[in-house]
Amino acid sequence: MHMTLETDYAVRIVDFLAASNQKADARSISEGTCVPPRFALKILRKLVSDGIVQSYKGAHGGYTLARPGSRITLREVIESVEGPYMISRCQQDEYACTHQACRYHRIYAEISESVRRQLDSYTFSQVEPCGAACRSVKEQEKGKAEGCPGVDKRSP
């Protein structure tokens, strides 16, 4: 199991806004997080819809966190993009499991709840800011020290 790329991008966007502590336009967010502009806008719409990010319209518009980073958990951001965290599809209400006496339902439920609790224990003010310096180091390690590899920076 792993997070989707969209979820990784959403975490980067919220982290960027938490670290900047000011209004940022979509282009700045895209460039600061190495998220393609159209993808950033799509994710920002979800985050705004779920009350994690606040949007401002107009010439001086942009985005900020809807509340302090200390009140936004990693779980909220992940579930904003992916929906409720569940380790198995048999935990979904719409899934009709044909194994009435499945020994694993309880185990899957316990694991899922444990992961949700752990994700709830981290807020965006607790995680040490990484920002461009960390990204730069990671890119250098991969031999890609310039910019955001593979990201088309043209505005949408």
Side-chain angles (χ1 to χ4, degrees), residues 84-116:
Y85 178 83
M86 293 177 205
I87 194 169
S88 173
R89 66 183 177 174
C90 71
Q91 295 176 275
Q92 297 172 341
D93 291 335
E94 61 273 3
Y95 181 74
C97 183
T98 58
H99 302 92
Q100 298 302 323
C102 179
R103 300 177 293 167
Y104 297 98
H105 287 216
R106 181 184 54 77
I107 295 168
Y108 294 156
E110 287 175 11
I111 292 168
S112 294
E113 181 56 31
S114 177
V115 170
R116 286 192 294 269

Side-chain angles (χ1 to χ4, degrees), residues 59-99:
H60 300 289
Y63 300 88
T64 62
L65 293 182
R67 54 189 186 275
S70 62
R71 295 186 41 224
I72 300 172
T73 68
L74 195 52
R75 176 183 172 188
E76 283 182 273
V77 175
I78 291 170
E79 289 188 348
S80 177
V81 175
E82 294 192 15
Y85 178 83
M86 293 177 205
I87 194 169
S88 173
R89 66 183 177 174
C90 71
Q91 295 176 275
Q92 297 172 341
D93 291 335
E94 61 273 3
Y95 181 74
C97 183
T98 58
H99 302 92

